[in-house]
Amino acid sequence: MLFFAFFINARVGDNIHTMSSYEIEDDAVITEGKSMRIADYLVERAEENLGQLYLFNQSMDILDYTGETCELCGMTDSEILLLERPGMHTWKLPKYYLLFLPTSLVQPLFDEANSVWQKKEEIPSDLLQRLNDNKAAVEIYNERWKRVKVIGESYKLLYKPELIEENYDIFEQEELIQSATLEDGTTLVVRMPNPSYKPFEEPFNKAMLLFIAIFFGGHIILLIGVIFLSIGISRQFVRPLVYVISRIEHLAQFDYRKLSDKKVHHQKTGKLKRKFKLFQPVDESLNHLSDRLASNERQIKQSEQLREEWITGLSHDLKTPLSSIYGYSTMLASGDYEWTNDEMRAFAKTMQEKATYMDALIQDLTYTYQLKNKAIKLEKVSLALSSWLQQFADNQVCVRVYGDVLLDADELLLKRILDNLITNAKKYTPNDTKVSVEGQNTSEGVMLTIADQGPGIPQKELDNLFERYYRGTNTTDDTTGTGLGLAITKQLIDLHNGTISVNSDARGTVFVVKFSREQ
């Protein structure tokens, strides 16, 4: 019954004409200091009934009104007393009077359309737009009541007796209609949908059908529920056992997803329902086992991927120098040609360079492995950068430190960081340009900047600059580095809980290294 009442109340309008003076006399007027205003619930009801409320005192002074404009403010007392409009209503309150004045949404459209039609002019575009906005229509009926013209929305044919209907309940009017008979005998009609249309009969019939369906349907469901209650109790222990067996089968097939049985778990929280709490330790153990197995499998796959990358990169960077060493050694061992001492020394020098590169590569690989496994411990000391950074200054490198900058860091590792960055900058910078190294304090800690004026780094390489394990270039071109310098640099900076970023364009490259105060 409560559902029935709420359903009707939400879908049926509250007719203001059924309101009596007795029921509103205590709360219709709210006094605020020396001023009075109409209560909010009456303002809402007036708006819902498509009208305005006016509050008068006994001297016919307007104390308050609803809506945006005051239609009666420019009228005299006599004009207000002579005002007649269908749907007007008054209430007598202690010391006050309340007047409801209906407003017609269709009247302004009708007045403008009538004026245009009397002048035999074309409907202006702004009027057509307002007709479309309000889904309104202008219709012309001839003397035999045949519709001869329609402007705007298309509605079903209007019968002439409908023009004389008067219904003060705004919620029962499906359309707002205004009409006038013209001099030539035709009838001009303007009609639009009623935004407050809330008829009582339609929601009442629906509510009754819903009530009957819910009443009888509920009893049928209750009966079925009683029948299945015993079945549910018997399955209380069967359902979780089936779920546990299913989880074990999935684990055996390497499926580590957490399964959720809606009959065993709550759909929102995923936890076991209260009646299955007995199986909670088993469910938690299965979840823990699933997580461990999934984690182990991810670690195995990651290790395999790292191993493949390591082997691929190592093979790439060792293949070329080994090929050179093998080629020169084969030439020296060949008896088909007598090599001069100068030629043999040249061969030996090249073989020595390749061997030196391979040794450096293996050392860097070992170092990156140690960094990855956190096998290197920091031995931090306080470094005054204004004096410490001067060791990197030369005819190409310019060092500047702004203020007293102190940095707590491992001196040897910090030196390797700057050696790598400055060496790279000098390597790719023309000889007649400078490399700038700057240090300064920031609000977050210490910032080091290494800038060069080289040609810049291509965007493709810039995106993966610190992710490359190997140089990935032909080692016959340049053996001054292993290609692991920037990768090691980033790992050393991460070891200090710092960050490194790079910006590069045609004007040069800038590396920015930041160390926080709390490391």
Side-chain angles (χ1 to χ4, degrees), residues 43 47 51-54 64-71 73 103:
V43 174
E47 182 179 354
Q52 289 182 291
L53 283 174
Y54 289 86
D64 190 21
Y65 62 90
T66 65
E68 297 181 356
T69 59
C70 179
E71 184 178 345
C73 289
T103 57

Side-chain angles (χ1 to χ4, degrees), residues 351-510:
M351 294 169 65
Q352 184 182 23
E353 290 176 353
K354 300 301 181 181
T356 301
Y357 167 77
M358 292 171 61
D359 180 66
L361 176 60
I362 293 173
Q363 290 181 10
D364 282 352
L365 287 171
T366 303
Y367 198 62
T368 58
Y369 179 80
Q370 291 173 339
L371 288 172
K372 186 180 293 294
N373 291 276
K374 299 181 180 179
I376 296 178
K377 303 298 181 182
L378 295 177
E379 296 181 3
K380 292 185 180 180
V381 294
S382 182
L383 302 174
L385 296 186
S386 58
S387 58
W388 188 83
L389 283 178
Q390 297 302 323
Q391 62 182 301
F392 301 100
D394 57 25
N395 58 348
Q396 189 177 1
V397 179
C398 177
V399 175
R400 283 191 293 269
V401 178
Y402 302 98
D404 296 330
V405 182
L406 295 177
L407 176 61
D408 292 335
D410 187 303
E411 185 173 6
L412 292 177
L413 300 184
L414 182 62
K415 185 175 186 302
R416 181 158 188 174
I417 291 172
L418 291 172
D419 275 336
N420 288 340
L421 294 175
I422 294 173
T423 300
N424 271 350
K426 293 170 67 175
K427 181 178 179 180
Y428 298 104
T429 300
N431 294 329
D432 57 345
T433 61
K434 292 288 186 180
V435 174
S436 173
V437 179
E438 297 181 354
Q440 58 184 312
N441 287 313
T442 66
S443 59
E444 299 177 353
V446 176
M447 182 173 69
L448 298 176
T449 304
I450 297 88
D452 64 50
Q453 300 177 16
I457 303 173
Q459 186 63 41
K460 183 178 180 181
E461 295 184 13
L462 194 64
D463 293 338
N464 302 301
L465 193 61
F466 302 109
E467 303 299 329
R468 298 173 63 184
Y469 287 99
Y470 308 103
R471 182 172 50 192
T473 58
N474 192 331
T475 52
T476 60
D477 299 336
D478 186 3
T479 60
T480 59
T482 63
L484 291 170
L486 290 179
I488 292 175
T489 297
K490 187 177 187 306
Q491 287 179 299
L492 291 175
I493 294 173
D494 291 341
L495 190 62
H496 283 81
N497 292 327
T499 61
I500 182 171
S501 59
V502 58
N503 292 313
S504 184
D505 54 29
R507 295 172 295 179
T509 302
V510 180

Side-chain angles (χ1 to χ4, degrees), residues 18 30 56 84 132 146 241 254 274 314 378 441 461:
T18 62
I30 297 177
F56 296 91
E84 293 184 3
N132 291 332
K146 181 178 180 181
L241 288 177
F254 305 101
R274 180 178 299 178
L314 184 61
L378 295 177
N441 287 313
E461 295 184 13

